Amino acid sequence: MVDVFPVIEGGRWPAKAVVGEVIPVRATVFRDGHEHVGGSVVLIDPRGEERPPVSMREIAPGLDVWQARVAPDVEGRWRFRVEGWSNPYSTWRKDASVKIDAGVDVEVMLTEGALLLRRAAEQPGLPARAITALLDGAAGLDDDARPAHARLAAGIDPSIGEIFREFPLRDLLSASAEYPLIVHRKEALFASWYEFFPRSEGAHQREDGTWVSGTFSTAAKRLPGIAKMGFDVVYLTPIHPVGRTHRKGRNNTLTALPGDPGSPYGIGSPAGGHDATHPDLGTKKDFASFVARARELGMEVALDIALQASPDHPWVAEHPDWFTIRADGSIAYAENPPKKYQDIYPVNFDTDPEGIYAEIHRILQEWIDLGVTAFRVDNPHTKPLPFWERLLADIAAEHPDVLFLSEAFTKPAMMKTLATIGFHQSYTYFTWRNSKEEVADYLVEVSGDQAAVMRPSFWPTTHDILTPYMQQGGVPAFAIRAILAATGSPLWGIYSGYEFAESVARPGAEEQIDNEKYEYRPRDWEAAKEIGISDLLTRLNTIRREHPALHQLRNLTVQHSSNEAILAFSKHLPARFHPEGHNETIIVILTLDPFTEREGMVFFDMAALGLSEDAAFEARDLLGGEVYTWSREAFVRLHPHHTAAHIVSVRPIGGSSWLT
């Protein structure tokens, strides 16, 4: 065997999966001569116990590429190997068919077949029904009172072939090396995130126009509404004290007015740093109560970790060597030309790597002790990779359930490497993929081989990002992108205010006007109901939760459609991997045009749906409730204001049935 996959840098880092995730294992399997070969995958669970071999199937005839799909069932550090072997039954089947048709070595071939079937019947662990079928087949091959072709038919009956596929004879077996596979909890791949600024929830103005910040207590009042929409994770932007030196004002102005709260990413003041809560929000005890309330509602809390400091951070006085000192003696502030962040000092990880590492580890531990189970890490690509590799490994060893989301909108190689060395989830370029071709290509990319290390989280907007598509498309754009994000990836999230389709940009920037990073933004959540996005989010999360095919990433197939603005894709989950033991296929068809009605034909790859080429099926729309009868081709008409998409559940009808 060569080209074993998924293997990351020869096994230096483990490939990734979650409990119940269906993962493809591939290898090129071949041997000398003309004998047929086969391949198997053997999983070794975290206790060191080998699972029964899973037979591979050839997926690229002529190229010797074989694949099996497996699904680890417990968390922990697994290993796997691929075994290649000579396949005597398949070889005999081909040779016997040719020779008996030609009248060559007829008795010898029939006798050899009978011996093979009897040998197969002696395999340990074979079900009684299989033993009986094999012995009956051998007897049929030996029955010289019947014509040769009738005897051959007894040995190559489809039921016999199925037994050999499940319980093959494996001669001259050879094995690959064993490779690592890390299996995380399911929420590392399947979750719905909701981001909000706790200081905005409950914030209000006094009569004199000054603002009173929201608190953890007032923010907790928003949690039932978030839970009702079906979100699993509440993600809070930084909750730490904010510096005053060079504090940014509204809309990122350089001068803050009295009462401007400043960017929560300008972390640190005399009240404390990354291990403290902002005094306006409340105490750590108040934060723990917030976490407890979220848990009561079935949600976990993710905290934003931004490893940087305001000029007022205690680190600046206690560890000035942790920053970059310029030639004039000043500390360098953050820049991302043309953007300047005068209120932020980047940490220089090269000056005292051990001291900085110990401090960051201590800080994370404090928040974990208070109930935080996930961290969204701001700009991890600007910090050293060895730092992350060590930190993530140490936290995983101590707290394997804690998850890290990488917010790295950077070069693909860096994004993938951050995922490879330990980040559980990753922000993506999804936000900027808008055309049919762009979206289709990106869905194929993130659900393909890259998924062995990188789990994509789809966000239509963030507090930093408001793309031209979202600025110009109105409410339909917000609906379309929510549907696409929620179904295109098992991981997705929205930024608070999405329910209002907030789409006015700050001039010259791809972010909202009156940005919440620089001011309080309390919202009237009752008023949001009139827009309809809240109901859509609720429906999407319900559909996701109820349909395990949408819990998977690597089962996506882009389907062909005739209209340049209509995208179609499907997700199929075979019965052997489904929690309830039945086949499931979900088809998503949506318009990418937020302005006009679109119509066209969708042409299905039926095998990707788990159906035969001539099958008919019932397509039940999980969004609207309509039921359609479709086959290989279907006509659709989509309107962005009332039927922007079909999310359909597939059920064979008539004589159609699922492929095995």
Side-chain angles (χ1 to χ4, degrees), residues 199-219:
R199 70 187 187 185
S200 288
E201 293 300 322
H204 60 278
Q205 282 185 293
R206 300 185 181 94
E207 290 185 2
D208 62 3
T210 59
W211 280 89
V212 176
S213 172
T215 66
F216 290 127
S217 178
T218 58

Side-chain angles (χ1 to χ4, degrees), residues 324-508:
T324 298
I325 308 300
R326 303 174 70 186
D328 62 0
S330 65
I331 295 177
Y333 57 75
E335 294 184 79
N336 183 15
K339 293 183 179 180
K340 296 182 178 182
Y341 305 94
Q342 297 91 337
D343 57 337
I344 292 173
Y345 289 163
V347 175
N348 187 334
F349 284 76
D350 299 329
T351 57
D352 180 15
E354 286 301 318
I356 294 171
Y357 174 84
E359 174 71 350
I360 303 306
H361 187 282
R362 178 189 69 81
I363 288 167
L364 291 178
Q365 184 62 59
E366 287 207 18
W367 296 112
I368 292 169
D369 290 343
L370 288 169
V372 174
T373 53
F375 295 95
R376 179 266 198 189
V377 180
D378 192 63
N379 290 326
H381 56 290
T382 61
K383 287 77 178 175
L385 291 170
F387 165 80
W388 289 124
E389 184 173 17
R390 177 185 176 189
L391 181 68
L392 296 175
D394 287 350
I395 295 296
E398 299 155 5
H399 306 284
D401 282 352
V402 173
L403 306 176
F404 288 83
L405 168 61
S406 166
E407 187 264 353
F409 297 112
T410 184
K411 296 178 181 179
M414 175 60 82
M415 292 174 68
K416 184 177 179 181
T417 301
L418 286 165
T420 299
I421 64 174
F423 277 93
H424 301 81
Q425 305 168 357
S426 303
Y427 277 62
T428 66
Y429 300 128
F430 164 80
T431 317
W432 295 277
R433 299 296 188 260
N434 296 309
S435 72
K436 176 181 175 179
E437 183 178 11
E438 289 172 343
V439 175
D441 288 349
Y442 201 59
L443 289 175
V444 171
E445 178 182 337
V446 298
S447 63
D449 287 357
Q450 181 175 282
V453 291
M454 185 170 166
R455 301 186 183 114
S457 188
F458 282 3
W459 292 71
T461 67
T462 73
H463 62 268
D464 282 319
I465 302 169
L466 184 69
T467 62
Y469 181 92
M470 305 301 283
Q471 295 173 27
Q472 300 161 10
V475 173
F478 280 73
I480 289 166
R481 295 299 286 189
I483 294 167
L484 184 54
T487 57
S489 173
L491 281 168
W492 83 299
I494 65 156
Y495 158 52
S496 179
Y498 199 90
E499 301 94 319
F500 290 92
E502 295 172 344
S503 59
V504 180
R506 182 161 60 89

Side-chain angles (χ1 to χ4, degrees), residues 79 235 291 312 326 432 474 493 561 647:
R79 290 170 292 144
Y235 148 46
V291 173
D312 305 321
R326 303 174 70 186
W432 295 277
S561 60
I647 304 176

